[in-house]
């Protein structure tokens, strides 16, 4: 069964192992990082940072779990309150676990958290232009393509265009 849960310091070894095993798989979708990022200490530092942001209310960092085994990460980040009430959804899944509907399940779960727990109005997600698998996931969950942002994020060592998607809370204002 696929679930997500708040990331914890104890997840560092499993995440480090996943990052090493999936280096090739993730390289084209992720920013280039210092080699220390994929170590247990690097993951402890990343988790500590994510949990600080969680405490500040600007991120909801989760791990993706399949029958007790961590298979990826997901987050609601850049949580902005005030007149915007929005956040950005991200996720990655280990290569061996792609194509099983995990992304769709996770995206639906995180959208529920954004709308039901955080009481946000809008969730945004971005994909590289050629990441059609993630685009299909977002469309299945109800996201709408809203345009292309040129040179949006520095991925795989270069600034790349991204397709922007959004999902606005279906029940309007509460």
């Amino acid at each position: 069964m696929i679930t997500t849960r708040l990331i914890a310091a104890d997840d560092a070894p499993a995440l480090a192992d996943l990052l090493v095993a999936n280096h090739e798989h993730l390289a084209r979708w992720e920013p280039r990082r210092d080699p220390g990022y994929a170590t247990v200490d690097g993951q402890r530092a990343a988790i500590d940072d994510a949990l600080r942001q969680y405490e500040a209310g600007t991120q909801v960092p989760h791990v993706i779990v399949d029958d007790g085994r961590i298979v990826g990460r997901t987050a609601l980040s850049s949580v902005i309150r005030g007149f915007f009430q929005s956040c950005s959804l991200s996720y990655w899944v280990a290569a061996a676990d792609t194509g099983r509907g995990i992304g769709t399940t996770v995206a639906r779960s995180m959208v529920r958290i954004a709308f039901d727990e955080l009481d946000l109005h809008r969730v945004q997600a971005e994909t590289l232009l050629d990441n059609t698998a993630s685009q299909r996931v977002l469309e299945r969950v109800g996201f709408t393509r809203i345009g292309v942002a040129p040179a949006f994020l520095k991925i795989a060592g270069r600034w790349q265009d991204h397709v922007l998607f959004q999902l606005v809370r279906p029940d309007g204002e509460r």
Side-chain angles (χ1 to χ4, degrees), residues 133-150:
S134 280
Q135 291 168 23
R136 284 192 305 271
V137 163
L138 295 170
E139 289 165 350
R140 275 194 294 272
V141 174
F143 282 77
T144 303
R145 180 184 170 134
I146 58 173
V148 174

Side-chain angles (χ1 to χ4, degrees), residues 6 15 40 52-53 60-61 69 79 84 90-91 111 130-131 133 135 137 145 149 151 155 162 168:
L6 186 64
L15 286 169
V40 173
R52 275 193 296 280
Q53 291 180 52
V60 180
R69 179 178 58 96
V79 176
F84 200 39
S90 63
Y91 64 90
V111 164
D130 64 342
N131 191 347
Q135 291 168 23
V137 163
R145 180 184 170 134
I155 300 295
H162 280 66
V168 176

Side-chain angles (χ1 to χ4, degrees), residues 1 19-20 27 31 41 55 72 78 85 92 95 105 107-108 111 132 144 147 159 164 166:
M1 182 170 130
L19 288 169
V20 169
D41 286 342
E55 291 300 321
S78 302
Q85 295 296 327
W92 62 262
T105 299
R108 282 189 180 120
V111 164
T132 56
T144 303
W159 291 99
L164 302 181
Q166 73 173 7

Side-chain angles (χ1 to χ4, degrees), residues 11 41 57 65 77 85 98 102 118 127 153 161 165-166 169:
D11 297 326
D41 286 342
V65 181
S77 58
Q85 295 296 327
T98 60
I102 293 173
L118 300 179
T127 74
L153 292 172
D161 300 348
F165 289 83
Q166 73 173 7
R169 181 188 209 118

Side-chain angles (χ1 to χ4, degrees), residues 27-31 128 153-160 162:
R28 69 182 291 215
W29 314 116
E30 291 280 314
L128 288 170
L153 292 172
K154 193 172 187 179
I155 300 295
R158 61 188 178 90
W159 291 99
Q160 297 194 50
H162 280 66

Side-chain angles (χ1 to χ4, degrees), residues 12-143:
L15 286 169
D17 288 347
L18 266 182
L19 288 169
V20 169
N22 287 277
H23 176 75
E24 294 291 319
H25 168 65
L26 296 173
R28 69 182 291 215
W29 314 116
E30 291 280 314
R32 284 196 181 147
R33 302 184 197 272
D34 179 280
Y37 180 77
T39 65
V40 173
D41 286 342
Q43 283 305 288
R44 280 192 184 114
I47 291 167
D48 287 348
D49 181 56
L51 290 173
R52 275 193 296 280
Q53 291 180 52
Y54 175 72
E55 291 300 321
T58 60
Q59 186 181 136
V60 180
H62 279 207
V63 288
I64 303 167
V65 181
D66 180 13
D67 290 325
R69 179 178 58 96
I70 295 176
V71 297
R73 275 197 61 181
T74 184
L76 300 173
S77 58
S78 302
V79 176
I80 301 173
R81 296 296 185 168
F83 295 109
F84 200 39
Q85 295 296 327
S86 185
C87 70
S88 184
L89 169 68
S90 63
Y91 64 90
W92 62 262
V93 177
D97 294 289
T98 60
R100 298 179 38 226
I102 293 173
T104 302
T105 299
V106 166
R108 282 189 180 120
S109 174
M110 296 305 280
V111 164
R112 277 192 299 276
I113 290 170
F115 291 155
D116 297 343
E117 295 178 26
L118 300 179
D119 202 27
L120 296 175
H121 170 72
R122 178 180 173 276
V123 179
Q124 177 174 309
E126 312 83 22
T127 74
L128 288 170
L129 299 181
D130 64 342
N131 191 347
T132 56
S134 280
Q135 291 168 23
R136 284 192 305 271
V137 163
L138 295 170
E139 289 165 350
R140 275 194 294 272
V141 174
F143 282 77

